[in-house]
Amino acid sequence: GENVEQHPSTLSVQEGDSAVIKCTYSDSASNYFPWYKQELGKRPQLIIDIRSNVGEKKDQRIAVTLNKTAKHFSLHITETQPEDSAVYFCAAKGYNDMRFGAGTRLTVKP
Amino acid sequence: DVKVTQSSRYLVKRTGEKVFLECVQDMDHENMFWYRQDPGLGLRLIYFSYDVKMKEKGDIPEGYSVSREKKERFSLILESASTNQTSMYLCASSLARWGAEQYFGPGTRLTVT
C-alpha cells in the first residue's frame, strides 16, 4: 500500500512570510493528492487537491506542486495570516487506499 | 452543504466496556470511513464501508468492528475497550472510495480508564 511521509512536523513563521510543507509518497501509481487543514478543536477540511495529470494548482494564497518523478508534493502558503495557524495533513491515493501524512502544526506569529 | 455528525464529542468509558460510536451523513454518500487520530501519527484508517452491509478493514482494525445497516449511518464498535484505544475518532464520508474529498465529522474524543 501507499506510504506518506510529511515534513516538517512543526513550522513557525512570522505573519506575512511564506510556509512550505512537503510530503513524499511511495506508490508510483498514486494519482490524487489532497491537503486538509484542521484548526484547533475542529474537523479536518479539504483546502486544495491535485491530480497527477497537472504539476501545479493555485487557489488564492495556497498552491500545491507535484513532482511525479521524485514522488513528492508540497503545499505553499504565501502571505501567511494568524488564521492560517492549524495542523495540515497531506494524503495520497494509492491503488486501493489513501494514506495520510502525520501532520504539520503551523503557527503564524503576529 | 454536507453534514457529518457524530453521536458524542466526548466519551469516558471503563476498560472492558463495549463502546458504540455512531456517525451519520446526510449527503447520500456510499462511502464512509472511521479514522483514529493520535499526535504524531496523523489519521489512521480503522475500517471503511462502500455500501450498506459492506465493509473492509483499514490499517488498524484490531479491537474494532463496524456496522452499516443503513446508507447514512456507520457505527464503530469497541467490543472490549482498552486504555490503548484512548484517542480521537473521526468519521468521514465521500462520493468516491478514495479519489475525492472526504467530509469529516467533528470527532469523538474517547477516554478509556
Side-chain angles (χ1 to χ4, degrees), chain B residues 10-28:
Chain B
Y10 300 94
L11 211 51
V12 180
K13 295 291 182 181
R14 293 187 183 273
T15 302
E17 279 193 86
K18 191 168 185 176
V19 182
F20 292 87
L21 304 182
E22 295 207 321
C23 175
V24 177
Q25 51 96 3
D26 66 357
M27 283 301 292
D28 203 34

Side-chain angles (χ1 to χ4, degrees), chain A residues 16-65:
Chain A
D17 287 351
S18 295
V20 180
I21 302 169
K22 297 181 179 179
C23 289
T24 60
Y25 61 97
S26 60
D27 186 348
S28 57
S30 292
N31 59 9
Y32 174 66
F33 307 90
W35 286 88
Y36 288 84
K37 175 184 180 182
Q38 186 178 29
E39 297 178 43
L40 189 63
K42 297 192 175 180
R43 68 191 77 194
Q45 290 191 296
L46 181 76
I47 54 171
I48 196 167
D49 56 11
I50 192 169
R51 298 194 184 271
S52 58
N53 57 346
V54 297
E56 185 175 3
K57 184 177 179 180
K58 282 186 179 179
D59 183 3
Q60 300 181 346
R61 297 186 296 108
I62 292 171
V64 57
T65 58

